[in-house]
């Protein structure tokens, strides 16, 4: 199979250079190789493209047609290669990000608005989903999630830790009283989110015990709504309930109980982290999430 691109590139260089020898010099080829490429192209197309003698050459009508269109095509290829290579060092182009609904609305939307203002050449498309890890199929550049699956084949960057805490609404505490010790949780109404949190509750109340589960769900927003409605005690991340704590809608319980933090991570396809738009966005999020994090649970504690 002939190298069609090499033949056409050589023809364009010959047309631009005016002589075969100058074209050979620009291409870094021998005069014989350059002449051979031209002959192969003319044979494949079945037309003469260049009239030539030992000192002069000129384009035929067919040669002029090919030079005009091929020259523009090669120029377009050069332009797009330059643009693609620029994206390795300069943040530009469309950046597609997916995360959970609650995370996007509560914390990430303002940050991405700030990032877009700082990087006007980057267009941000932020989507929400119940699960935000399957970016190979969805075509997203980055997924931002809490505690990603350990078997993910994606590259993971930890952005920050998100402290967890026990909390309940004043209406619930007025009705059932405030727990003063871990053992009290066994007789309180507790809201559990997902199977993994069952284990977290067991680690809190002690080995061999399980929480008194009044309500359970796989939906974190639903669990928060139940807690706000006074249905029971819930374990939530500080990210999710910081505003509720500030507004007095929820109160932290047993602040001396240390719960493992949830990791907030970014997932992306291996190698794509070298793209400037991805790299700059991840650095920005990591820096601002740590700097602008809500006050720690200990500083928010309501006395037991």
């Amino acid at each position: 199979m002939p190298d069609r691109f090499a033949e056409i590139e050589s023809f364009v260089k010959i047309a631009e250079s005016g002589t075969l020898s100058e074209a050979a010099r620009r291409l870094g080829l021998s005069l014989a190789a350059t002449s051979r490429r031209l002959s192969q192209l003319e044979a494949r197309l079945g037309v003469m493209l260049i009239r030539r003698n030992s000192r002069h050459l000129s384009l035929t009508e067919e040669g002029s047609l090919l030079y005009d269109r091929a020259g523009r095509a090669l120029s377009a290829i050069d332009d797009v290669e330059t643009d693609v290579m620029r994206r390795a060092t300069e943040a530009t182009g469309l950046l597609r990000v997916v995360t959970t609904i609650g995370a996007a609305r509560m914390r990430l939307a303002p940050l991405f608005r700030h990032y877009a203002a700082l990087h006007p050449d980057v267009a941000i498309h932020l989507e929400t989903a119940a699960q935000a890890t399957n970016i190979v199929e969805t075509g997203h550049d980055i997924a931002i999630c809490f505690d990603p699956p350990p078997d993910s084949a994606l590259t993971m960057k930890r952005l920050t830790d998100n402290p967890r805490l026990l909390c309940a609404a004043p209406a619930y505490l007025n009705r059932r009283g405030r727990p003063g010790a871990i053992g009290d949780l066994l007789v309180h109404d507790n809201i559990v989110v997902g199977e993994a949190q069952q284990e977290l509750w067991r680690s809190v109340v002690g080995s061999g015990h399980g929480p008194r589960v009044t309500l359970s769900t796989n939906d974190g927003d639903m669990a928060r709504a139940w807690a706000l409605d006074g249905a029971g005690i819930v374990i939530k991340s500080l990210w999710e309930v910081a505003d509720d704590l500030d507004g007095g809608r929820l109160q932290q319980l047993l602040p001396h109980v240390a719960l493992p933090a949830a990791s907030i991570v970014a997932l992306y396809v291996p190698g794509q982290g070298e793209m400037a738009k991805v790299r700059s966005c991840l650095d920005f999020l990591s820096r601002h999430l740590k700097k602008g994090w809500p006050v720690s649970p200990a500083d928010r504690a309501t006395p037991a």
Side-chain angles (χ1 to χ4, degrees):
M1 287 291 293
D3 188 339
R4 298 172 63 188
F5 183 85
E7 290 176 357
I8 292 176
E9 182 185 37
S10 297
F11 165 75
V12 170
K13 278 291 187 290
I14 293 169
E16 291 175 345
S17 303
T19 66
L20 285 170
S21 58
E22 177 60 19
R25 186 189 68 79
R26 294 184 185 183
L27 290 166
L29 299 173
S30 66
L31 179 60
T34 304
S35 179
R36 184 166 56 252
R37 283 186 179 180
L38 175 59
S39 297
Q40 289 171 343
L41 177 61
E42 289 179 323
R44 181 165 60 82
L45 297 180
V47 296
M48 177 182 290
L49 300 171
I50 293 179
R51 306 181 193 90
R52 53 197 181 275
N53 56 32
S54 59
R55 294 190 302 175
H56 182 73
L57 59 80
S58 62
L59 298 178
T60 64
E61 181 181 0
E62 293 76 16
S64 296
L65 175 64
L66 181 62
Y67 172 67
D68 178 56
R69 295 188 180 179
R72 280 185 279 140
L74 290 178
S75 178
I77 291 173
D78 288 341
D79 289 344
V80 74
E81 283 187 344
T82 299
D83 187 41
V84 169
M85 288 188 292
R86 184 168 66 92
R87 295 179 183 215
T89 57
E90 300 177 23
T92 185
L94 176 63
L95 182 65
R96 299 189 64 209
V97 184
V98 62
T99 189
T100 59
I101 296 173
R105 290 177 180 172
M106 287 186 290
R107 302 293 170 190
L108 293 178
L111 285 181
F112 276 109
R113 185 174 66 248
H114 186 191
Y115 176 83
L118 295 175
H119 298 83
D121 291 334
V122 179
I124 301 293
H125 181 71
L126 180 61
E127 290 187 22
T128 58
Q131 297 292 329
T133 58
N134 196 11
I135 62 175
V136 173
E137 291 185 10
T138 60
H140 292 92
D141 299 297
I142 303 171
I144 300 174
C145 53
F146 298 85
D147 292 330
D151 59 347
S152 175
L154 300 172
T155 300
M156 183 177 73
K157 177 182 176 65
R158 192 181 72 82
L159 300 175
T160 190
D161 284 331
N162 186 7
R164 289 187 176 104
L165 49 88
L166 291 156
C167 57
Y172 174 82
L173 299 176
N174 291 336
R175 187 176 76 254
R176 295 294 308 278
R178 180 183 297 274
I182 291 176
D184 295 342
L185 296 173
L186 295 172
V187 296
H188 271 271
D189 298 332
N190 299 308
I191 302 167
V192 178
V193 186
E195 294 183 6
Q197 206 176 88
Q198 289 272 8
E199 296 301 319
L200 180 57
W201 270 101
R202 290 189 182 95
S203 70
V204 171
V205 299
S207 178
H209 297 283
R212 171 190 163 90
V213 179
T214 305
L215 292 167
S216 64
T217 178
N218 65 342
D219 187 325
D221 289 336
M222 185 181 297
R224 172 176 168 268
W226 280 339
L228 289 169
D229 199 37
I233 298 171
V234 67
I235 295 176
K236 297 299 286 181
S237 72
L238 182 56
W239 188 329
E240 297 173 278
V241 297
D243 293 339
D244 296 324
L245 295 172
D246 285 341
R249 294 180 293 276
L250 292 175
Q251 294 180 12
Q252 184 182 1
L253 307 176
L254 304 176
H256 60 281
V257 176
L259 300 178
S263 296
I264 300 176
V265 303
L267 301 176
Y268 54 93
V269 176
Q272 197 163 9
E274 300 304 314
M275 297 295 292
K277 64 181 180 182
V278 173
R279 187 173 62 250
S280 69
C281 181
L282 294 180
D283 291 344
F284 173 88
L285 290 176
S286 179
R287 186 169 63 253
H288 283 77
L289 284 175
K290 292 174 182 176
K291 181 176 66 176
W293 198 244
V295 178
S296 69
D299 295 335
R300 294 174 174 274
T302 300

